[in-house]
Amino acid sequence: MQDESVLDAREERAYRLLVGLSIARLADLAEVAELSHQEADEILQRLQAKGLVAVMPGDEPMFRPLPPDVALGTTLLRRQESLESARKTVASLSEEFRASASRRDAHHLVEVIVGAAGLRDRLRDLQESAREEILWFCRANPLAMQGAENTEEYGALSRGVRYRAIYERALLETPGELDTIAEGISWGEEARTLPTLPVRLAIVDRATAVCPLVRDDEAGIGEPTAAIIGRGQLLDALLSLFETHWEQATPVKLQSDEAADPEGLDDSERFLLSLVVAGVPDKSVASQLGISRRTVQRRLDRMMALAGVDTRTGLAFQAAKRKWL
């Protein structure tokens, strides 16, 4: 690369001496600068090339200095243009690097897990490492882990990890699942339910999500496959999806809270009511609770009388108003 310096140390010293002399012969400059004639001649030629020295014709050439601002203005302008060009090059290269890094990092933001065993192990590891909160979309017909197999939840709850789970209505009607959900609620899980959920989903500490990649109607083809998703816009979208559905979901509760009507429900009635409000059929409610459909209706009649209504719609409204759920 060509040297773009304005003056080197020897050139600057020679120029300053020449300014002091106003005009000088080669021999004069060589003497005051303590240079050989050859060295002085080389420096004067360079200064002349840079427009800082003029040669006065005569029997013996005389040298006089020229104004540096005029002589070096072009050089400085050229350097400024070079710096601006370099700045644009650096900006372009930086943008290209960031784009490449984003594409490269995207491969690390999503990890693919294949197989029920591997997916089950990863879900367990994530729950065991959780420190703050775990969010679940629990659809019917679990792919890798039945509710009763998820013993890691109880350990996490005992450590103070908050669990919020939304259960698909069909899951509540699956034999044995309601008992497992009730067990989780008794440990501190916050449970809600919706008629359907868009995807299966688990999110740990708002930093890692697990989401299957295969649609339910294709689940029987090959091994289950899921994506492990790290921080990024995709995770932000999944968090927003969960919170939206959480606001719309119906609570499933076993115990009364302090704000409940003192003449409200006992725990078994509260649980039954939450299932009915969620849309679970009487037959399924009776089956899950181990009681008859007649008993379900009788308990509902008692709750409607307590709420002062004669329809299930009115009961649901009063349950919300009285904070029974």
Side-chain angles (χ1 to χ4, degrees):
M1 181 177 178
Q2 185 179 358
D3 186 4
E4 290 293 335
S5 61
V6 177
L7 293 174
D8 63 26
R10 298 177 70 192
E11 291 171 345
E12 181 179 347
R13 181 170 179 270
Y15 179 79
R16 289 178 182 274
L17 291 172
L18 188 58
V19 169
L21 294 171
S22 298
I23 187 169
R25 297 172 302 174
L26 174 62
D28 298 332
L29 182 62
E31 181 180 354
V32 296
E34 299 179 345
L35 298 171
S36 67
H37 280 216
Q38 182 180 352
E39 290 173 329
D41 184 51
E42 290 176 353
I43 292 175
L44 283 170
Q45 288 184 35
R46 294 203 298 268
L47 292 174
Q48 185 179 0
K50 294 181 178 181
L52 289 169
V53 170
V55 181
M56 300 177 64
D59 294 339
E60 186 176 358
M62 301 289 287
F63 300 90
R64 66 179 179 87
L66 296 175
D69 53 345
V70 175
L72 299 179
T74 301
T75 301
L76 293 175
L77 179 59
R78 186 166 60 249
R79 171 171 289 187
Q80 183 177 0
E81 291 173 348
S82 177
L83 288 173
E84 179 63 18
S85 177
R87 187 195 66 78
K88 292 180 179 179
T89 299
V90 170
S92 176
L93 291 173
S94 298
E95 183 63 28
E96 185 175 344
F97 174 83
R98 285 191 293 268
S100 176
S102 297
R103 292 191 297 269
R104 183 176 63 252
D105 293 343
H107 294 294
H108 300 288
L109 287 175
V110 179
E111 174 190 357
V112 176
I113 300 294
V114 178
L119 179 54
R120 184 163 52 247
D121 290 343
R122 181 56 65 90
L123 286 170
R124 286 173 171 165
D125 290 343
L126 287 172
Q127 289 183 92
E128 289 175 349
S129 65
R131 292 293 175 266
E132 297 180 3
E133 183 180 52
I134 296 179
L135 312 176
W136 288 97
F137 272 172
C138 301
R139 300 189 71 182
N141 304 314
L143 295 179
M145 181 186 296
Q146 299 291 330
E149 298 175 354
N150 188 20
T151 56
E152 287 74 26
E153 176 179 354
Y154 306 132
L157 285 167
S158 66
R159 296 196 309 271
V161 177
R162 183 186 184 191
Y163 265 73
R164 288 193 287 156
I166 305 178
Y167 295 94
E168 206 167 51
R169 182 187 298 164
L171 187 63
L172 303 181
E173 302 177 36
T174 303
E177 286 292 338
L178 197 54
D179 291 338
T180 301
I181 295 171
E183 178 71 12
I185 295 173
S186 70
W187 278 77
E189 174 188 299
E190 299 173 47
R192 296 187 180 186
T193 183
L194 283 171
T196 59
L197 290 171
V199 294
R200 303 176 191 276
L201 180 66
I203 304 177
V204 178
D205 289 340
R206 296 182 171 267
T208 306
V210 182
C211 184
L213 297 175
V214 180
R215 293 172 48 181
D216 278 11
D217 56 3
E218 300 173 350
I221 304 175
E223 290 276 9
T225 304
I228 311 298
I229 302 165
R231 294 184 185 275
Q233 291 190 1
L234 179 56
L235 179 60
D236 292 343
L238 293 175
L239 284 166
S240 178
L241 180 70
F242 179 89
E243 296 296 350
T244 298
H245 283 71
W246 181 259
E247 291 298 321
Q248 299 171 351
T250 301
V252 179
K253 287 193 174 183
L254 297 181
Q255 299 178 355
S256 59
D257 53 41
E258 296 178 357
D261 189 329
E263 297 181 355
L265 316 178
D266 61 35
D267 291 346
S268 63
E269 289 174 326
R270 186 176 302 280
F271 193 27
L272 185 153
L273 178 59
S274 67
L275 297 177
V276 172
V277 171
V280 179
D282 288 4
K283 181 179 179 181
S284 297
V285 173
S287 176
Q288 293 293 329
L289 298 181
I291 58 179
S292 67
R293 294 180 64 179
R294 184 184 297 273
T295 300
V296 170
Q297 183 59 56
R298 185 169 61 252
R299 291 184 179 180
L300 287 173
D301 289 342
R302 193 193 86 81
M303 286 185 277
M304 285 190 287
L306 186 62
V309 297
D310 57 3
T311 65
R312 295 192 180 191
T313 301
L315 177 60
F317 175 79
Q318 287 297 323
K321 182 177 180 181
R322 295 167 183 253
K323 298 184 179 180
W324 285 347
L325 296 178

